[in-house]
């Protein structure tokens, strides 16, 4: 009952605020002069700095979307500019935040604001040792399943911001959080096509904590490392033929030729069998189609979450027909797996494309990086 009263009270306050909001008569972002900070690789967000406030536009944050979301980041203690009813206002810098994806955890840590994190749905999926320590000390609360979030606890935590994402534009949990008067912003990093575009979303997170300079420095370092590795791989005379993906039920999910996985394989100077495909996501094929094209490929890079070949054979005996299986040239991103419920590749990988690229170069052209030890990938035995 206490929760119900609390929710109704918050909902009433929120609705009251909505009703009291003045009609839009003067949108400052359309009349004031700001400094645009256009990302170099990311295509799904832009930031414009107007001095005492910033405007962030997030475009098409899920596949097939044409929607644009506008966020107004206003310094605490300063006047909130006039804005339309569809604009989300967030007062910065944020002191208490909730994120719903493990991919946001490394950005908070790199920006040194992980102590601002107060809640996360299903904390057992977080692999980072630093944030796991915060969970063990009770600093970060478990909000339960992201589909059935503990709203009572969320309200007690009283975050100033929730960073969410959407796979199709329908997310009842995020909608409910918004109805409680808690600002929600959408992170669209996962739909970026270039690996560096995904990493560049650290600048989006940084804007809410006034950490833009630090984010620029971090990203520039990652970009330099990535481009240096790519340049190194351009010199090799032999380009190995590779394929990727694995079966899920009766479907083989193969990375499309314009996907970020294909970009890694291209920049590592490998010959990816589906490089001519125009799809930016995965394409769904049957086993026979993949076997027909990839049976004699030299390397199988990114073969799911398997820990060894025995697991693969037990899952699908047809895998043994590939030459890469017979010659022990299968590689997965399960090397660092201290947390049985999570995988550091999924968590840290989007922010560290330089490490992923160097891993693949080490696999495809080991002579180029003799002293480098792979971080995410390992050979299956």
């Amino acid at each position: 009952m206490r929760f119900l009263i609390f929710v109704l009270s918050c909902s009433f306050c929120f609705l009251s605020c909505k009703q009291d909001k003045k009609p839009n008569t003067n949108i400052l972002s359309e009349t004031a002069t700001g400094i645009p900070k256009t990302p170099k690789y990311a295509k799904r967000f832009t930031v414009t700095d107007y001095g005492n406030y910033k405007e962030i536009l997030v475009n098409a944050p899920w596949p097939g979307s044409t929607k644009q979301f506008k966020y107004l980041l206003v310094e605490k203690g300063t006047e909130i500019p006039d804005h339309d009813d569809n604009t989300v206002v967030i007062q910065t810098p944020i002191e208490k935040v909730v994120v719903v994806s493990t991919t946001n955890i490394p950005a908070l840590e790199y920006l040194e604001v992980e102590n601002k994190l107060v809640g996360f749905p299903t904390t057992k999926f977080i692999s980072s040792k630093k944030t796991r320590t915060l969970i063990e000390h009770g600093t970060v609360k478990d909000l339960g399943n992201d589909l059935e979030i503990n709203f009572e606890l969320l309200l007690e935590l009283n975050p100033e911001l929730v960073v969410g994402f959407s796979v199709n534009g329908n997310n009842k949990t995020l909608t409910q959080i918004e109805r409680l008067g808690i600002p929600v912003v959408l992170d669209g990093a996962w739909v970026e096509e270039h690996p560096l575009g995904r990493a560049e979303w650290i600048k989006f997170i940084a804007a809410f904590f006034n950490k833009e300079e630090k984010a620029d420095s971090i990203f520039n370092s990652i970009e330099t490392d990535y481009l240096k590795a790519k340049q190194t791989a351009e010199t090799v005379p032999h380009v190995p033929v590779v394929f990727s993906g694995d079966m899920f039920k009766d479907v083989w999910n193969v990375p499309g030729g314009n996907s970020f996985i294909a970009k890694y394989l291209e920049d590592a100077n490998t010959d990816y069998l589906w490089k001519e495909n125009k799809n930016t996501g995965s394409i769904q094929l049957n086993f026979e189609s993949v076997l027909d094209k990839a049976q004699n490929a030299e390397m199988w890079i990114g073969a799911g979450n398997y820990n060894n070949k025995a697991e693969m054979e037990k899952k699908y005996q047809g895998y043994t027909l590939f030459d890469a299986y017979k010659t022990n040239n299968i590689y997965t991103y399960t090397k660092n797996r201290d947390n049985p419920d999570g995988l550091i590749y999924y968590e840290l990988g989007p922010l560290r494309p330089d490490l992923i690229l160097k891993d693949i170069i080490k696999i495809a052209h080991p002579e180029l990086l003799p002293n480098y030890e792979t971080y995410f990938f390992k050979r299956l035995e």
Side-chain angles (χ1 to χ4, degrees):
M1 178 60 75
R2 181 164 64 94
F3 171 58
L4 178 61
I5 294 172
F6 197 7
V7 169
L8 290 174
S9 175
C10 290
S11 298
F12 175 77
C13 290
F14 176 71
L15 290 172
S16 297
C17 291
K18 293 282 285 185
Q19 291 167 353
D20 290 339
K21 185 177 288 184
K22 296 179 180 179
N24 175 36
T25 55
N26 180 26
I27 302 173
L28 289 185
S29 60
E30 294 180 355
T31 58
T33 301
I35 301 173
K37 298 183 177 180
T38 306
K40 294 177 67 175
Y41 300 90
K43 298 179 180 177
R44 308 283 181 158
F45 81 95
T46 60
V47 180
T48 304
D49 192 339
Y50 290 91
N52 62 339
Y53 73 96
K54 291 166 280 192
E55 180 187 86
I56 296 182
L57 299 178
V58 172
N59 298 299
W62 62 83
S65 171
T66 58
K67 286 194 172 183
Q68 182 183 75
F69 297 84
K70 183 185 293 184
Y71 307 120
L72 215 56
L73 284 59
V74 184
E75 288 289 321
K76 291 176 178 174
T78 63
E79 184 178 357
I80 297 175
D82 290 342
H83 54 278
D84 61 44
D85 288 345
N86 294 321
T87 299
V88 178
V89 176
I90 301 107
Q91 293 187 297
T92 59
I94 295 296
E95 292 297 327
K96 293 195 293 184
V97 65
V98 165
V99 301
V100 302
S101 171
T102 58
T103 59
N104 294 134
I105 300 299
L108 296 177
E109 293 183 355
Y110 275 56
L111 294 170
E112 299 179 336
V113 292
E114 71 275 5
N115 60 329
K116 311 296 184 186
L117 181 67
V118 295
F120 186 90
T122 320
T123 54
K124 69 177 183 179
F125 292 136
I126 295 176
S127 296
S128 162
K129 293 179 180 177
K130 182 182 284 187
T131 299
R132 291 218 60 80
T133 299
L134 296 175
I135 296 167
E136 292 164 4
H137 291 169
T139 306
V140 179
K141 303 295 186 183
D142 193 323
L143 293 169
N145 189 306
D146 58 352
L147 297 177
E148 298 178 3
I149 203 165
N150 185 337
F151 284 104
E152 183 174 14
L153 178 56
L154 179 69
L155 287 167
E156 288 179 0
L157 294 175
N158 193 28
E160 297 170 293
L161 177 68
V162 172
V163 180
F165 68 95
S166 180
V167 296
N168 55 16
N170 296 316
N171 190 313
K172 294 181 180 178
T173 299
L174 295 181
T175 300
Q176 180 66 16
I177 292 172
E178 288 177 320
R179 287 173 178 166
L180 296 175
I182 301 172
V184 174
V185 296
L186 291 180
D187 182 335
W190 69 284
V191 286
E192 295 285 352
E193 296 166 14
H194 196 294
L196 287 171
R198 292 186 159 205
E200 201 165 17
W201 276 74
I202 191 173
K203 298 178 182 178
F204 170 81
I205 298 295
F208 299 98
F209 300 93
N210 291 348
K211 291 278 188 175
E212 288 92 336
E213 287 188 13
K214 191 170 186 64
D216 288 344
S217 175
I218 293 167
F219 178 76
N220 290 341
S221 176
I222 292 170
E223 179 195 25
T224 299
D225 198 33
Y226 186 98
L227 296 178
K228 182 180 177 182
K230 177 186 174 184
Q231 187 175 26
T232 300
E234 291 172 351
T235 61
V236 292
H238 176 65
V239 179
V241 177
V242 304
F243 67 110
S244 187
D246 66 327
M247 296 285 288
F248 179 72
K249 295 184 178 178
D250 295 328
V251 173
W252 193 306
N253 292 294
V254 176
N258 286 334
S259 67
F260 73 96
I261 295 292
K263 185 62 179 171
Y264 277 127
L265 297 173
E266 176 190 350
D267 288 348
N269 205 0
T270 68
D271 184 7
Y272 177 47
L273 284 172
W274 276 268
K275 62 179 180 294
E276 302 299 333
N277 179 274
K278 303 301 181 185
N279 202 307
T280 58
S282 295
I283 51 177
Q284 286 70 49
L285 301 176
N286 60 36
F287 175 81
E288 289 75 15
S289 297
V290 178
L291 180 65
D292 182 59
K293 192 167 185 173
Q295 184 172 15
N296 302 123
E298 298 170 74
M299 295 179 178
W300 185 350
I301 300 175
N305 297 340
Y306 299 105
N307 292 301
N308 51 61
K309 289 173 64 180
E311 281 185 10
M312 293 189 73
E313 184 175 356
K314 184 178 180 181
K315 183 75 175 183
Y316 200 87
Q317 195 167 11
Y319 290 150
T320 63
L321 298 174
F322 290 91
D323 284 358
Y325 187 95
K326 298 172 184 174
T327 58
N328 285 339
N329 274 310
I330 305 174
Y331 300 86
T332 68
Y333 31 75
T334 54
K335 183 175 181 179
N336 287 312
R337 200 165 197 173
D338 296 336
N339 177 10
D341 295 309
L343 194 58
I344 194 65
Y345 171 80
Y346 292 136
E347 187 170 307
L348 179 61
L351 182 59
R352 295 303 307 270
D354 53 328
L355 296 180
I356 295 177
L357 181 61
K358 286 194 289 188
D359 277 13
I360 297 175
I361 292 173
K362 178 71 175 184
I363 291 168
H365 314 289
E367 72 281 5
L368 295 180
L369 301 172
N371 299 317
Y372 177 75
E373 183 177 345
T374 60
Y375 190 85
F376 298 111
F377 282 79
K378 71 173 185 180
R379 182 202 298 265
L380 291 190
E381 304 293 346

